[in-house]
Amino acid sequence: MQVWGITMNWQQLMTKGNDCFNQQAQGYYEGAIEQLDAMLLENPKQVEAIQGWICGYHNLSALHVKTGNVVEAQRCLLIPHQSMMHLIEQEGLDDDHKLIAFRATKITLTALLEFTQDFPICQSCSDRLMTQYLAVTQPESRFH
């Protein structure tokens, strides 16, 4: 992405977004997410890109909370979570990729559960998130 004629990578875009953390930040975060999407299309097992992608959506969520758009904030938390859950459940995906997704759900679930402390959700959805969280955080959890 180019900003004022300067090409920026996803890390620079995230930093710029964090520095200004206002409506302008949204464009930086979305630009970083677009770059990370492209990186993940080329190499879906790139852990740093997955973490950055999740972080970009979490930053967008925090920005939307700040501006009072709770529905959009929740959507920005659900996108990476549901994507990682989809990978875990996907047939034919290799074990390394599923393990990366499994570990990423710890991050996405933690953020969602923290969000629900301030913005409660229905009991059924809350129970499902808690069940998922317990499954990925239990010491005896195994990945198959």
Side-chain angles (χ1 to χ4, degrees):
M1 176 176 190
Q2 284 202 348
V3 179
W4 301 297
I6 300 169
T7 301
M8 301 176 110
N9 65 28
W10 71 267
Q11 293 101 331
Q12 293 166 319
L13 290 167
M14 293 282 256
T15 300
K16 260 318 220 182
N18 291 343
D19 290 345
C20 65
F21 204 70
N22 57 27
Q23 283 306 108
Q24 188 178 9
Q26 183 172 343
Y28 291 122
Y29 294 145
E30 289 171 349
I33 289 168
E34 285 177 25
Q35 285 186 14
L36 290 160
D37 278 336
M39 290 171 64
L40 290 169
L41 281 174
E42 290 180 25
N43 181 2
K45 295 181 194 177
Q46 192 173 355
V47 174
E48 182 184 25
I50 292 170
Q51 291 171 338
W53 182 78
I54 291 169
C55 182
Y57 274 109
H58 288 186
N59 288 352
L60 274 176
S61 177
L63 182 63
H64 289 304
V65 166
K66 180 182 175 188
T67 61
N69 191 347
V70 177
V71 172
E72 190 64 18
Q74 183 182 37
R75 186 183 77 79
C76 288
L77 294 176
L78 287 170
I79 289 171
H81 177 66
Q82 290 173 341
S83 294
M84 294 301 109
M85 292 301 296
H86 174 73
L87 289 176
I88 290 169
E89 296 164 357
Q90 190 173 341
E91 293 291 325
L93 198 64
D94 67 77
D95 287 347
D96 287 342
H97 201 169
K98 284 188 179 192
L99 182 58
I100 291 167
F102 183 80
R103 290 179 175 160
T105 59
K106 292 179 184 179
I107 299 166
T108 62
L109 280 164
T110 299
L112 276 166
L113 290 169
E114 288 173 0
F115 181 83
T116 64
Q117 297 300 306
D118 294 325
F119 307 101
I121 57 176
C122 74
Q123 191 61 49
S124 174
C125 291
S126 180
D127 291 345
R128 186 169 7 139
L129 287 177
M130 188 54 69
T131 299
Q132 291 171 352
Y133 182 78
L134 292 173
V136 299
T137 57
Q138 295 300 313
E140 67 273 357
S141 290
R142 293 184 188 206
F143 174 76
H144 294 278

